[in-house]
Amino acid sequence: MGVGLLVEPEAGALAMPAFILRFRGWWMRPRGSRLVAPQNPKPPPSPGAAAEAEKARICTRSRGLERKVLGFEIDALNSVQFSNHTGYAHWKGQVLNSDELHELYEGLKLNSVNKYDYVLTGYMRDKSFLASVVDIVQELKKQNSKLVYVCDPVMGDEWNGQGSMYVPEDLLPVYKEKVVPVADIITPNQFEAELLSGRKIHSQEEALAVMDELHAMGPDTVVITSSNLLSPRGRDYLTALGSQRIRNPDGSVVTERIRMEMHKVDAVFVGTGDLFAAMLLAWTHKHPNNLKVACEKTVSAMHHVLQRTIKCAKAQAVGGLKPSPAQLELKMVQSKKDIENPEIVVQATVL
């Protein structure tokens, strides 16, 4: 997780300074299904221990750099401290518990540096840790009523038509009853959106209804980052949907809905879901009432990062072999210009 303390942005950065508290949950699945298509994906055999093999901690490189480039200074507070993400064959490290989280946050409070404009959370596996995060978010919102909480509710995914949770099931009611109601922006995949709403999605109309249900739970912005809906452009494209409630000064509410079609990439990357949430935070900061533009910049930047990553990985792979996890680490530093000012290659359709 990261704490972001921003001084004046440098040239090319966002015009508005912001302070971010980020819970860096480094245990994450390879989010191939979020924005890219995994190569011959294998479903986890069960939602339990065997599913651990399908999870991976996001790499350090894609944590914080994109926000630093866009004007956010990030200090990291890690919910786990691992040698590398769990997409590798081996890893070592420690897991932060809720008591240790409270101790770290208490240190911030004692120094009066617990003042933030954003909170961003991702994968969390422990019920008590998740509840502690909610307590912190609520306390921070009391200090700053304009604080924006961006939540990526990482709970599970669907493989070959079969959905599966790879966090303990007792986290679902915590997300539904405590986390989502205090969130301002959420970025579930289709399976997670169905879990949170209790409704299945078989069509665009049902997806829009689910997003309305999630709006009613609290968040003004809901982005279903990937879905099983068939794209009009064919099976080589992945469909994402977004919905944003805009509150006007007169009290009226306008809802903007968008749809995006993204070309699938034949590889499994670790960290795309986290990168999506982080970039969306940055671009909604710049375009708070224009979800279309924020999502176009987010997804286009990701497209450039992933294309550069797969090109480099294939060049490094020996004898045409499948690229290794190390070779598929996201090329964030090399993509600095694309993150700062992405060429729009993915257009959103307003529904």
Side-chain angles (χ1 to χ4, degrees), residues 6 125 135:
L6 177 69
R125 184 171 178 81
D135 292 339

Side-chain angles (χ1 to χ4, degrees), residues 138-158:
Q138 290 176 323
E139 181 173 328
L140 292 173
K141 284 201 168 193
K142 287 180 181 179
Q143 295 179 181
N144 177 11
S145 61
K146 295 183 179 180
L147 180 141
V148 175
Y149 173 28
V150 181
C151 172
D152 185 6
V154 183
M155 291 183 289
D157 212 336
E158 186 171 309

Side-chain angles (χ1 to χ4, degrees), residues 258-325:
I258 63 167
R259 177 186 178 111
M260 303 188 77
E261 313 291 338
M262 300 158 287
H263 197 279
K264 296 177 181 179
V265 180
D266 193 17
V268 176
F269 301 98
V270 176
T272 56
D274 178 78
L275 179 59
F276 184 99
M279 292 289 290
L280 185 64
L281 183 158
W283 288 115
T284 53
H285 175 83
K286 177 66 174 179
H287 306 283
N289 293 319
N290 195 330
L291 184 62
K292 179 180 185 293
V293 171
C295 284
E296 286 176 343
K297 290 187 175 183
T298 295
V299 176
S300 293
M302 292 193 63
H303 168 86
H304 298 306
V305 172
L306 297 183
Q307 289 297 325
R308 181 171 290 105
T309 299
I310 192 64
K311 181 179 179 180
C312 292
K314 288 181 177 179
Q316 293 171 2
V318 179
L321 296 176
K322 181 180 178 181
S324 68

Side-chain angles (χ1 to χ4, degrees), residues 100-112 114 136 139:
E100 292 165 334
L101 170 62
H102 276 296
E103 182 178 1
L104 290 170
Y105 182 67
E106 186 64 23
L108 295 173
K109 290 174 62 177
L110 290 173
N111 289 294
S112 299
N114 61 325
I136 291 172
E139 181 173 328

Side-chain angles (χ1 to χ4, degrees), residues 330-350:
L330 298 181
K331 298 297 184 285
M332 300 295 293
V333 174
Q334 298 88 335
S335 303
K336 177 178 180 291
K337 291 184 179 179
D338 291 317
I339 294 170
E340 283 181 318
N341 186 27
E343 177 188 357
I344 304 303
V345 294
V346 181
Q347 299 280 348
T349 300
V350 177

